């Protein structure tokens, strides 16, 4: 069946109530019943939760073939937890397990052999990079994978689309009763936002830490009342890869041109007024926008009401210089942010549900004025691909909060170079749709700015402003990219679907197919 | 154009292409590898063949290692390799065969 | 076109494909494709062919295109000129210019190439890069040696070496050369350009040098990093107060000229007709720099 962005979703997947994408607000006002876990009443006050080994914790959780386990990715490329757990499960002879992760990537290459051997047969994730992305693209995962946004993952868990049997929560510190925090240990990550929903909805919850601290470890991100077992290991991750010591501003002149233009677009929209809200990620151009905003805020005496992220030092600088009233934080990228969320009176940890879940009664993305986002590809309908590579169609990206932010923000601004080496980012059709065009308002490249024709209001606000780059149509940008590089051939896939791309509301917005066999 | 020796032109830097050319006797033998093979493999082949035709090269083994070069760079590197292989260093036919 | 904004002239190694393909996004006033010092001896042919193809295929969006050829005393210069002219280059920058003879030699090859490739004779301009004491002494003669001359520039690296001194932050060793060159250029009615600033990280030092050469009367500066471009353009842009003074001058002169008065006062400053040219130039520069919001 063809969905609202023109992608054909094979009927075989439209079962059990699953529908195709029909618009950002298709499910607005629909009622649904939340799922609930089957949990154990831990009545006896003498019971200890600390278990001497991961193996014993898994045994006590009665993990069996065919079950689903979950992980967060607050440890990013420095994570050891996923590999440890999967390795142990494999040794125990358990198989046919589905991983429900908030993201997987380069750190998880060791799980590829377990995918090949059938220990892991299912995967639900936002990000998917490196060898694990290749493995799924080659069709090595037995069951079709699910790609979800951050908000979409929470929705799927709360609505019962995915049932977590055992949640494994890596924690920089935990006490013996399971109060877990993102701070105070050897490998701090700041917050534990992604795993909050896991703790509430999984049947069994295991906290894994390398730093057992005194009881009670307060204020806890993950609460003792939700935790079954606590396991202490030598290392939960590599601190150098969990947090950058300092995320540096890009010095690339092209990125700076794009960022400066994006900032000027932003300040000339009607939403740039005192109390505005702002989100940016950790990537080059989007982070640089933060730097360019400051002089405008100073000159016009405008402060941010709140900022969300993906938090890094540049945001903290604005907070500490009183340009931001409050930061709400669902992930930290550098050491200063990890420190700040745990000590600054106006910097708060929130859950991923509060951040971006579309099915609760109102998440923070709904209150966003501006979101600055990146893209691998954008087509002439403003649809965005952030999940598959242009040249080979291999899974190597992440919707992350992209889809959620674009849907919620009053003005979503995509920043991207026109080409990456020879590859046009602006093109006729994207390889895979992750974010629908109706969510995308402005595209800024180094040769021009395109405004979604749906936003006549923004066009009127901007067309008489002297911007550093010209306003152009998205077709003109595409034509310029093709004039420089040549029109790209469409790459071929095999028919087999290896992953479903689920929009934040659970509908299917696109599919990813197996790459053509080259070996 | 007669090629008298092997020659290389271009580099393996991003946006460049390295062309190796060797004289042979059985027409044009072309080996292409590229970081953008899927989207531009055909186009790269076209540009190399056309450039060789225009220069009048009929017998050569050409190896192309592409790092995302634009057509004008591919053409330039092929031309440079050909003239080096033909030992022609001055009075190039600008505007005619190039 | 001999008269145009040339605040920034960005050097590009013609052999580097990744730089050449989209240098226009940084919006320098001119791009200088280098076939000389940046290119290794055994890659001169490759750089030249790359230049020719870039000129033929890439749309540089109205930016002026210049080639720095190898010296006329090398085996490369003739072919450099042929390739560049055939490609449609706007100007040829002759390195290490010491005497008018160096310009004549280049001009001879340029005219030959224009004939060979059907380019309008005289269309291609010439710049002389002066990099030695003799060149500085001969600056005026070099500047007026040919109708094609568009500008002269000082190349500090080779100049300080031949002067048997070193480069310093304050640049006192360049003082003489800078002054003589800008005087020579003005006397000959052509433009004058300052040397490259190699310490890319030292923004403050760069700003100071640009302010200095602007005050000396230079028209622009050679650039080696895109980061330097917005800085130069900003320093060269007239300030809003300079623009307002220029507007007042122009309007007041217009008014008073009708009344037959030649000299008068505006805001306590004496104004006479000699100032009209400078005021017009300020407005033109303001418009070209994109900072003019008035209605003159």
């Amino acid at each position: 069946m063809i969905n609202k962005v023109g992608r054909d979703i094979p009927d075989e997947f439209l079962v059990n109530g699953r529908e195709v994408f029909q618009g950002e607000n298709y499910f607005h006002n629909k009622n649904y019943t939340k799922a609930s876990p089957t949990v154990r009443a831990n009545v006896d006050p003498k019971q200890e939760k600390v278990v001497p080994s991961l193996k014993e914790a898994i045994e006590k959780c009665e993990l069996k073939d065919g079950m689903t386990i979950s992980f967060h990715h607050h440890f990013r490329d420095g994570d050891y937890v996923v590999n440890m757990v999967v390795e142990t499960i494999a040794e125990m002879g358990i198989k046919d397990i589905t991983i429900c992760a908030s993201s997987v990537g380069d750190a998880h290459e060791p799980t590829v052999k377990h995918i090949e051997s059938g220990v892991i047969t299912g995967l639900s994730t936002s990000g998917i990079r490196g060898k694990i992305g290749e493995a799924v693209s080659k069709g090595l995962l037995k069951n079709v994978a699910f790609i979800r946004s951050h908000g979409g993952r929470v929705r799927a868990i709360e609505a019962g689309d995915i049932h977590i049997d055992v949640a494994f929560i890596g924690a920089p510190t935990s006490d013996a009763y399971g109060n877990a925090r993102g701070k105070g240990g050897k490998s701090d990550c700041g917050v534990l936002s992604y795993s909050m929903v896991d703790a509430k909805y999984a049947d069994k919850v295991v906290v894994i830490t390398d730093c057992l601290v005194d009881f009670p470890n307060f204020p806890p991100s993950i609460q003792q009342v939700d935790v079954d077992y606590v396991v202490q290991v030598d290392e939960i991750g590599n601190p150098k890869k969990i947090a950058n010591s300092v995320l540096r501003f890009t010095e690339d002149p092209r990125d700076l041109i794009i960022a400066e233009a994006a900032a000027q677009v932003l300040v000339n929209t009607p939403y740039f007024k005192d109390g505005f809200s702002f989100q940016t990620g950790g990537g080059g151009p989007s982070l640089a926008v933060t730097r360019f905003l400051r002089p405008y805020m100073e000159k016009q005496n405008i402060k941010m009401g709140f900022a969300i992220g993906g938090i890094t030092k540049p945001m903290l600088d604005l907070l500490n210089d009183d340009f931001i009233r409050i930061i709400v934080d669902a992930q930290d990228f550098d050491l200063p942010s990890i420190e700040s969320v745990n000590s600054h009176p106006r910097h708060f940890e929130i859950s991923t549900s509060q951040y971006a879940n579309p099915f609760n009664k109102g998440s923070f993305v709904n209150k966003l004025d501006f979101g600055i986002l990146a893209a691998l590809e954008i087509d002439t309908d403003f649809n965005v691909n952030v999940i598959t590579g242009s040249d080979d169609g291999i899974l190597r990206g992440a919707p992350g909060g992209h889809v959620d932010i674009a849907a919620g923000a009053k003005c979503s601004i995509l920043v991207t170079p026109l080409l990456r080496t020879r590859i046009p980012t602006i093109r006729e059709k994207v390889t895979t749709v992750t974010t629908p065009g109706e969510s995308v308002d402005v595209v800024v490249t180094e040769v021009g700015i395109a405004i979604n024709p749906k936003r006549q209001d923004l066009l009127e606000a901007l067309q008489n402003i002297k911007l550093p780059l010209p306003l152009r149509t998205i077709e003109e940008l595409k034509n310029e990219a093709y004039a420089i590089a040549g029109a790209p051939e469409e790459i071929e896939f095999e028919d087999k679907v290896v992953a479903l791309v689920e929009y934040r509301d659970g509908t299917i917005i696109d599919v990813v197919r197996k790459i053509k066999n080259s070996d | 154009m007669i090629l008298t020796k092997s020659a290389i032109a271009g580099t393996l830097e991003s946006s460049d292409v390295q062309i190796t050319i060797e004289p042979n006797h059985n027409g044009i033998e072309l080996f292409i590898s590229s970081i953008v093979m899927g989207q531009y493999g055909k186009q790269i082949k076209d540009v190399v063949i056309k450039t060789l035709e225009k220069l009048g090269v009929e017998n050569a083994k050409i190896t192309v290692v592409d790092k995302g070069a634009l057509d004008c760079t591919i053409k330039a590197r092929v031309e440079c390799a050909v003239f080096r292989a033909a030992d022609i260093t001055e009075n190039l036919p600008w505007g005619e065969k190039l | 076109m001999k008269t145009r904004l040339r605040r920034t002239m960005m050097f590009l190694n013609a052999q580097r494909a990744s730089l050449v393909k989209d240098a226009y996004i940084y919006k320098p006033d001119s791009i200088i494709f280098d076939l000389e010092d940046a290119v290794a001896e055994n890659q001169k042919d490759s750089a030249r062919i790359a230049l020719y193809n870039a000129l033929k295929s890439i749309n540089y969006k109205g930016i002026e295109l210049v080639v720095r050829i190898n010296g006329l005393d090398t085996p490369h210069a003739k072919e450099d000129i042929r390739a560049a002219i055939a490609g449609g280059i706007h100007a040829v920058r002759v390195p290490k210019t010491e005497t008018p003879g160096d310009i004549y030699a280049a001009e001879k090859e340029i005219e030959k190439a224009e004939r060979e490739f059907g380019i309008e004779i005289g269309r291609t301009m010439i710049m002389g890069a002066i990099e030695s004491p003799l060149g500085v002494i001969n600056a005026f003669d070099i500047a007026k040696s040919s109708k094609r001359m568009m500008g002269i520039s000082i190349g500090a690296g080779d100049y300080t070496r031949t002067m048997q001194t070193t480069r310093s932050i304050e640049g006192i060793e360049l003082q003489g050369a800078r002054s003589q060159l800008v005087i020579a250029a003005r006397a000959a009615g052509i433009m004058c350009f300052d040397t490259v600033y190699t310490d890319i990280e030292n923004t403050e030092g760069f700003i100071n040098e640009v302010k200095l050469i602007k005050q000396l009367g230079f028209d622009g500066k050679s650039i080696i990093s895109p980061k330097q471009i917005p800085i130069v353009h900003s320093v060269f842009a007239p300030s809003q107060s300079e623009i307002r003074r220029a507007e007042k001058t122009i309007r007041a002169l217009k008014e008073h000229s009708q009344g037959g008065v030649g000299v008068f006062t505006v805001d306590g400053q004496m104004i006479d007709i000699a100032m009209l040219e400078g005021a017009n130039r300020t407005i033109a520069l303001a418009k070209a720099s994109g900072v003019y919001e008035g209605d003159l």
Side-chain angles (χ1 to χ4, degrees):
Chain A
M1 187 184 304
I2 312 269
N3 67 16
K4 196 174 176 220
V5 288
R7 296 288 153 132
D8 196 358
I9 313 300
D11 290 330
E12 72 196 79
F13 297 107
L14 302 173
V15 293
N16 298 330
R18 195 179 290 135
E19 301 183 58
V20 298
F21 174 70
Q22 285 160 79
E24 284 177 327
N25 296 325
Y26 175 55
F27 274 108
H28 183 61
N29 277 339
K30 291 208 168 87
N31 287 320
Y32 70 104
T33 304
K34 284 191 183 175
S36 41
T38 302
V39 294
R40 169 180 74 94
N42 189 18
V43 180
D44 183 351
K46 292 196 289 298
Q47 283 309 302
E48 298 289 347
K49 295 187 182 180
V50 175
V51 172
S53 72
L54 198 43
K55 180 160 182 258
E56 212 176 301
I58 294 172
E59 276 166 357
K60 284 189 140 91
C61 289
E62 296 175 344
L63 186 68
K64 294 186 183 27
D65 290 358
M67 285 190 166
T68 298
I69 60 179
S70 77
F71 302 94
H72 66 66
H73 73 287
H74 284 292
F75 302 148
R76 299 161 71 213
D77 283 341
D79 178 57
Y80 293 167
V81 172
V82 173
N83 295 339
M84 256 193 286
V85 170
V86 172
E87 205 54 56
T88 311
I89 288 175
E91 279 167 16
M92 292 164 72
I94 303 173
K95 52 195 193 315
D96 206 12
I97 296 293
T98 295
I99 290 180
C100 172
S102 53
S103 189
V104 293
D106 290 314
H108 306 122
E109 189 177 327
T111 52
V112 172
K113 59 181 183 294
H114 298 301
I115 290 176
E116 288 167 345
S117 66
V119 171
I120 305 296
T121 53
L123 179 62
S124 156
T125 179
S126 170
I128 178 161
R129 294 186 171 86
K131 295 282 177 219
I132 203 169
E134 275 177 46
V136 176
S137 279
K138 285 184 183 153
L140 300 176
L141 187 69
K142 180 155 169 275
N143 300 322
V144 78
F146 282 82
I147 308 296
R148 299 189 163 104
S149 72
H150 290 331
R153 177 180 187 267
V154 177
R155 179 213 66 78
I157 293 169
E158 290 191 358
D161 289 1
I162 189 159
H163 175 80
I164 302 171
D165 296 288
V166 185
F168 293 95
I169 302 180
T173 58
S174 176
D175 60 32
Y177 222 42
N179 291 301
R181 299 188 63 212
K183 182 88 174 66
K186 305 187 286 184
S187 328
D188 287 351
C189 59
V191 299
L192 290 173
S193 312
Y194 291 116
S195 49
M196 289 175 181
V197 63
D198 302 38
K200 293 288 179 196
Y201 283 81
D203 288 348
K204 297 275 191 299
V205 177
V206 177
V207 165
I208 303 173
T209 185
D210 57 7
C211 195
L212 213 51
V213 297
D214 290 337
F215 178 86
N217 187 22
F218 256 53
S221 303
I222 301 300
Q223 300 173 18
Q224 67 195 48
V225 298
D226 296 315
V227 175
D228 289 275
Y229 304 109
V230 177
V231 180
Q232 188 176 21
V233 298
D234 288 333
E235 285 177 321
I236 50 172
N238 178 353
K240 289 200 180 60
K241 290 189 179 175
I242 292 176
N244 301 65
S245 45
V246 169
L247 216 58
R248 284 174 42 229
F249 272 129
T250 179
E251 292 294 314
D252 183 294
R254 188 193 315 265
D255 285 350
L256 294 178
I257 289 176
I258 296 171
E260 173 141 38
Q264 287 202 34
V265 166
L266 189 156
V267 303
N268 282 296
T269 64
Y271 312 114
F272 183 65
K273 49 188 203 287
D274 195 43
F276 80 97
S277 59
F278 180 75
Q279 171 285 333
T280 182
S286 38
L287 193 58
V289 173
T290 317
R291 175 164 72 169
F292 287 113
L293 271 190
R294 190 172 176 134
Y296 295 101
M297 292 169 72
E298 279 173 357
K299 192 156 165 238
Q300 299 181 45
N301 203 17
I302 285 179
K303 300 195 197 311
M304 268 187 223
F306 74 91
I308 314 181
I311 301 299
T312 51
K313 183 158 187 302
M315 290 291 229
L316 301 182
D317 289 338
L318 289 172
L319 179 72
N320 288 320
D321 292 342
D322 279 334
F323 283 100
I324 303 182
R325 281 197 264 279
I326 289 181
I327 291 182
V328 288
D329 185 339
Q331 182 165 25
D332 294 304
F333 288 129
D334 59 18
L335 292 178
S337 305
I338 289 171
E339 175 58 47
S340 178
V341 70
N342 286 284
S343 58
H344 197 290
R346 291 179 290 117
H347 184 171
F348 302 99
E349 178 183 19
I350 56 172
S351 69
T352 313
S353 187
Q354 287 174 293
Y355 171 31
N357 179 4
F359 273 29
N360 62 23
K361 296 179 189 184
S363 62
F364 270 97
V365 295
N366 295 357
K367 287 298 185 184
L368 258 187
D369 290 312
F370 300 105
I372 312 291
L373 301 164
L376 287 177
E377 300 172 336
I378 305 174
D379 69 21
T380 46
D381 290 321
F382 289 84
N383 296 315
V384 181
N385 171 18
V386 285
I387 194 71
T388 45
S390 276
D391 196 64
D392 50 20
I394 291 182
L395 289 159
R396 61 162 67 85
H402 201 280
V403 191
D404 307 306
I405 291 156
K410 294 198 184 61
C411 182
S412 57
I413 301 175
L414 266 76
V415 291
T416 177
L418 187 69
L419 301 144
R420 288 198 174 88
T421 318
R422 190 175 183 171
I423 301 176
T425 49
I426 318 288
R427 53 179 54 221
E428 197 64 51
K429 245 178 51 129
V430 294
T431 306
T432 312
V433 180
T434 50
T435 307
E438 64 183 283
S439 299
V440 177
D441 300 310
V442 183
V443 172
V444 179
T445 71
E446 73 276 46
V447 300
I449 299 165
I451 300 179
N452 193 327
K454 272 193 330 130
R455 298 299 305 265
Q456 286 300 310
D457 57 322
L458 287 178
L459 193 54
E460 272 166 37
L462 292 165
Q463 62 193 2
N464 294 317
I465 307 288
K466 216 165 153 300
L467 294 165
L469 298 170
L471 285 182
R472 303 172 73 178
T473 66
I474 192 89
E475 281 81 16
E476 283 171 350
L477 292 181
K478 180 211 78 176
N479 290 337
E480 175 152 351
Y482 284 20
I484 295 169
E489 299 270 328
E490 247 187 73
I491 48 174
E492 290 177 348
F493 293 90
E494 299 203 7
D495 283 337
K496 177 173 179 203
V497 172
V498 295
L500 298 179
V501 183
E502 200 183 82
Y503 186 62
R504 61 197 303 244
D505 63 5
T507 59
I508 307 298
I509 194 164
D510 208 342
V511 300
V512 179
R513 295 177 194 270
K514 183 173 170 211
I515 52 170
K516 271 242 161 154
N517 230 324
S518 47
D519 26 26
Chain B
M1 181 149 354
I2 309 295
L3 309 180
T4 55
K5 59 182 196 203
S6 300
I8 301 187
T11 72
L12 298 172
E13 272 180 31
S14 180
S15 297
D16 204 346
V17 58
Q18 190 172 79
I19 307 284
T20 310
I21 195 163
E22 296 165 54
N24 72 358
H25 301 289
N26 40 329
I28 303 289
E29 267 181 275
L30 192 46
F31 301 92
I32 300 179
S33 70
S34 167
I35 60 166
V36 290
M37 202 60 176
Q39 296 173 92
Y40 291 104
K42 206 148 91 48
Q43 178 75 354
I44 294 169
K45 183 175 172 195
D46 271 356
V47 171
V48 174
I49 301 279
K50 279 210 184 73
T51 309
L52 292 170
E53 271 174 17
K54 207 163 173 213
L55 292 169
V57 175
E58 290 175 348
N59 294 292
K61 174 171 164 215
I62 297 115
T63 311
V64 177
V65 182
D66 170 62
K67 301 294 184 184
L70 301 182
D71 284 351
C72 64
T73 304
I74 299 172
K75 180 170 174 284
R77 300 322 195 190
V78 171
E79 287 165 350
C80 183
V82 164
F83 285 113
R84 284 176 175 177
D87 227 338
I88 296 173
T89 54
E90 52 185 18
N91 288 317
L92 267 61
W94 308 103
E96 257 183 64
K97 298 203 183 141
L98 284 102
Chain C
M1 204 215 333
K2 281 180 87 184
T3 324
R4 56 173 286 160
L5 267 187
R6 293 186 176 96
R7 302 159 297 175
T8 43
M9 304 190 81
M10 182 160 79
F11 271 99
L12 271 193
N13 181 347
Q15 171 65 348
R16 300 274 320 271
S18 61
L19 303 178
V20 162
K21 68 175 179 168
D22 63 2
Y24 51 82
I25 66 169
Y26 306 112
K27 302 196 183 134
D29 290 329
S30 310
I31 291 175
I32 305 177
F33 294 97
D34 193 10
L35 299 178
E36 197 222 11
D37 282 351
V39 179
E41 190 63 28
N42 65 355
Q43 298 298 338
K44 299 289 187 190
D45 57 341
S46 178
R48 184 185 303 137
I49 297 177
L51 167 66
Y52 171 77
N53 279 286
L55 291 173
K56 285 306 224 180
S57 334
I58 301 176
N59 175 358
Y60 283 99
K61 317 228 175 177
I63 295 175
E64 182 177 64
L65 304 173
V66 182
V67 61
R68 178 164 74 171
I69 56 170
N70 290 283
L72 269 306
D73 55 342
T74 68
H76 311 294
K78 273 198 205 159
E79 204 62 26
D80 289 347
I81 289 173
R82 284 185 77 237
I85 303 299
I89 204 83
H90 302 137
V92 173
R93 180 178 168 120
V94 181
K96 303 175 174 61
T97 313
E98 297 205 298
T99 68
D102 296 328
I103 300 295
Y104 301 146
E107 194 173 21
K108 191 164 140 235
E109 296 305 324
I110 291 172
E111 191 173 316
K112 237 168 75 181
E114 282 172 341
R115 272 184 219 291
E116 187 185 348
F117 298 109
I119 307 288
E120 179 196 330
I121 311 293
R123 190 195 93 120
T124 317
M125 295 176 282
I126 299 179
M127 278 180 74
I130 291 171
E131 309 181 54
S132 70
L134 185 58
V136 173
I137 289 181
N138 289 333
F140 178 61
D141 289 336
I142 291 168
K144 61 178 183 53
S145 63
S146 161
K147 281 218 279 282
R148 296 175 186 261
M149 285 302 284
M150 162 270 267
I152 49 178
S153 63
I154 175 73
D158 281 301
Y159 174 76
T160 44
R161 203 179 33 83
T162 46
M163 287 292 284
Q164 295 176 23
T165 177
T166 53
R167 289 215 62 181
S168 69
I169 297 182
E170 306 79 22
I172 191 100
E173 67 282 350
L174 293 177
Q175 192 171 278
R178 278 178 168 148
S179 303
Q180 290 197 53
L181 249 67
V182 82
I183 292 168
R186 289 290 165 263
I190 67 173
M191 289 187 157
C192 195
F193 308 103
D194 191 46
T195 188
V196 298
Y197 189 88
T198 52
D199 188 355
I200 301 178
E201 302 309 315
N202 185 356
T203 312
E204 207 188 311
F206 182 64
I207 293 175
N208 290 337
E209 183 160 297
V210 178
K211 284 184 173 160
L212 167 69
I213 59 121
K214 180 193 173 198
Q215 189 59 26
L216 279 174
F218 279 81
D219 296 285
K221 195 165 173 59
S222 293
I223 294 298
I224 53 168
S225 158
K227 287 201 259 193
Q228 297 176 324
I229 296 172
I231 296 175
V232 176
H233 289 183
S234 161
V235 171
F236 269 76
S239 64
Q240 288 303 317
S241 62
E242 284 171 335
I243 293 172
R244 239 154 278 127
R245 204 170 340 121
E247 282 180 319
K248 277 193 183 156
T249 303
I250 293 170
R251 290 202 178 100
L253 278 167
K254 195 155 169 224
E255 250 179 65
H256 283 84
S257 74
Q258 268 128 31
V261 177
V263 173
F264 49 89
T265 340
V266 172
D267 292 346
Q269 299 261 20
M270 187 198 84
I271 307 278
D272 68 31
I273 193 71
M275 295 173 158
L276 182 60
E277 199 186 309
N280 280 332
R281 202 178 318 119
T282 300
I283 300 296
L285 185 54
K287 284 184 181 167
S289 306
V291 298
Y292 187 62
E293 283 151 29
D295 47 16
L296 276 182

